Amino acid sequence: MKIGNFLVVTLYILFLMLPIYWLLNMSFKPNSEILGGITFFPRNFTVQNYVTIFTDPSWYMGYVNSILYVAMNTVISLAVALPAAYAFSRYSFLGDKHLFFWLLTNRMAPPAVFALPFFQLYSSVGLFDTHIAVALAHCLFNVPLAVWILEGFMRGVPKEIDETAYIDGYSWPRFFVKIFMPLIASGIGVAAFFCFMFSWVELLLSRTLTTVDAKPIAATMTRTVSASGLDWGLLAAAGVLTIIPGALVVFFVRNYIAKGFALGRV
Amino acid sequence: MEKTRNNRAWFMVLPVVALVAFSAVLPLMTVVNYSVQDTFGNNVFFWAGTEWFTQVLESERMHDALWRQFLFSAVILAIEVPLGVAVALCMPKKGFWASVCLVLMALPLLIPWNVVGTIWQVFGRVDIGLLGWTLANLGVDYNYTQNPLDAWITVVVMDVWHWTSLVVLLAYAGLQSIPQAYYQAARIDQASRWKVFRYIELPKMKGVLLIAVLLRFMDSFMIYTEPFVVTGGGPGTATTFLSIDLVKMALGQFDLGPAAAFSLMYFLVILLLSWVFYTVMTNSDKAGKGA
């Protein structure tokens, strides 16, 4: 590799890593050291911030809540998106292009527009402050995303496979589960990853729709503001813990990540 | 692929339509409802016609937010797209290091948006943040909570940090699809590095770059969480973008009518942009098939 290229990439990654390093660094310091001045490595190394999070239910329940609604959302999104994506990739039907476009507009819709009506809709049906409410709300952008990604992958599977399976006497559901789904397993994995991720990083809707019982970790983090000022160490530790799920699974989808972000169109 | 004409495929799409209709059409109708009505409380509503629309269209506040929003989107596009392409061109083509680069670069994209805000809120502080502290020690008078320009720079740098990798990933995927033979032909013709970029790489990346630009434009157009956490829209209204203003109006002041009218117009802009996006996408699909 040329030295210039190496320099550009290294500098860019350094720029990306510096703020994360600083957060990590802070999360291992007691507040006195954070406020006492700049230290590049924790002098008084402590895991107290993490201990606080893992022992206080009002903290760790935030993670549980987030994981619950994210998981629900991923399952719902994939369950409805799989047959729909198959239909879009295999058949032409009345209004298919308009429908596909309409789905896209929902992925692009600003959550801010939906915050207030969602609040009222879910309050009126008695789902306010439940996990399922957030999971359903996040379907707004995750279902279209899943349909688009899956359709992109399904188009790559030759149609002859479908026809051969019919000749062999497979019924459609059996063909879909036994033959088709294994063929697009990577696509399903990528779609699941992106549903998980976009639900995990979203805050505006999940915060609007919850108060106590289903409060996501992202909203819990605002709790660190107290009478004695901000608890920076705790805030940093909570932040670090929210980065971990994404960082753990990104390795598996590294080759498809561009496809996912481009809604299945690369 | 030749598609079979089959209207019964609608049955497979039905669950998606039902679900999205519940979570999109229903709420949107509420918004439409509010945008043409007024209330004195107690859930008594009466027809207000286009009053809210004219009010919002004429309000200084809306104009300012819109203007700030366009400026912000333009600035981050002008930085992120060239930077992203440059980094993608410099990345290793394959092997272990390419994977490492991809994973590290994707990391900011996977961080919850309010944590992104928190990271930069801390990072930019003069007393406890590395960036703020370094700038202060270099003698730069930097304070993003007081100085509007500093707040702007912080929000822009944060967005560059957060989303440039998206452009890198897409451009990289585009570069990967160029057959080696193209480069060999260029070498035989003794084409310069610039000409290789201009006549081989750029045309081949055109499709993905358009997608990248549109995605970045739309997502930056509805940015909310990150600047809200860092600056809260301030100082004053210096970084109050459209979404921040809208949430302030709807959930903060409960001005339902104007907020709803605002929402609808906001949504129409997004609809228009989505249509451009869709056209570009489907056209590049067709081009991909031809190649």
Side-chain angles (χ1 to χ4, degrees), chain A residues 210-223:
Chain A
T210 55
T211 47
V212 185
D213 294 338
K215 196 174 185 178
I217 178 61
T220 315
M221 281 176 67
T222 49
R223 250 174 31 108

Side-chain angles (χ1 to χ4, degrees), chain B residues 17 21 34 43 49 52 82 88 92 94 114 118 122 140 170 191 212 229 234 242-243 249 263 282:
Chain B
V17 174
Y34 281 131
N43 268 329
W52 299 128
K94 51 178 173 282
N114 71 312
T118 309
V122 171
V140 183
L170 290 178
V229 173
L242 280 180
S243 277
M249 212 189 270
S263 297
T282 40

Side-chain angles (χ1 to χ4, degrees), chain A residues 12 16 22 34 38 80 88 90-92 94 106 108 116 118 120 159 197 201 218 242 254 261 265, chain B residues 3-4 6-7 10 16 20 23 34 99 110 113-114 128 133 161 165-166 215 222 256 270 281 285:
Chain A
Y12 178 66
L16 295 186
W22 197 247
I34 294 172
I38 299 288
V80 297
F88 280 120
R90 290 298 193 259
Y91 301 115
S92 75
L94 190 66
N106 290 310
M108 300 302 178
L116 179 69
F118 271 170
Q120 294 181 319
K159 214 176 161 186
M197 199 197 86
V201 298
T242 61
R254 65 190 182 284
F261 276 112
R265 298 293 122 141
Chain B
K3 289 182 186 175
T4 323
N6 186 353
N7 276 330
W10 256 98
V16 164
V20 180
S23 61
Y34 281 131
S99 295
L110 312 173
W113 296 345
N114 71 312
I128 60 170
W133 178 80
W161 179 84
S165 295
L166 175 68
L215 275 177
M222 50 201 200
L256 295 184
I270 295 286
M281 282 262 194
D285 277 0

Side-chain angles (χ1 to χ4, degrees), chain A residues 27 33 53 63 68 70 78 87 98 103-104 117 134 155 163 185-186 189 197 206-207 210 212 219 228 233 236 246 262:
Chain A
S27 73
E33 187 183 341
I53 289 175
Y63 286 98
L68 268 176
V70 165
L78 284 184
H98 300 100
L103 284 177
L104 177 76
V134 184
R155 264 188 316 171
E163 284 154 8
S186 56
M197 199 197 86
S206 54
R207 194 192 56 187
T210 55
V212 185
S228 56

Side-chain angles (χ1 to χ4, degrees), chain A residues 112-113, chain B residues 241-251 259-260 262-263 266:
Chain A
V113 168
Chain B
F241 301 118
L242 280 180
S243 277
I244 298 182
D245 207 16
L246 179 57
V247 173
K248 250 186 213 166
M249 212 189 270
L251 295 175
F262 189 165
S263 297
Y266 195 0

Side-chain angles (χ1 to χ4, degrees), chain A residues 236-252:
Chain A
V240 170
L241 288 175
T242 61
I243 302 178
I244 289 174
L248 279 182
V249 278
V250 62
F251 181 77
F252 299 104

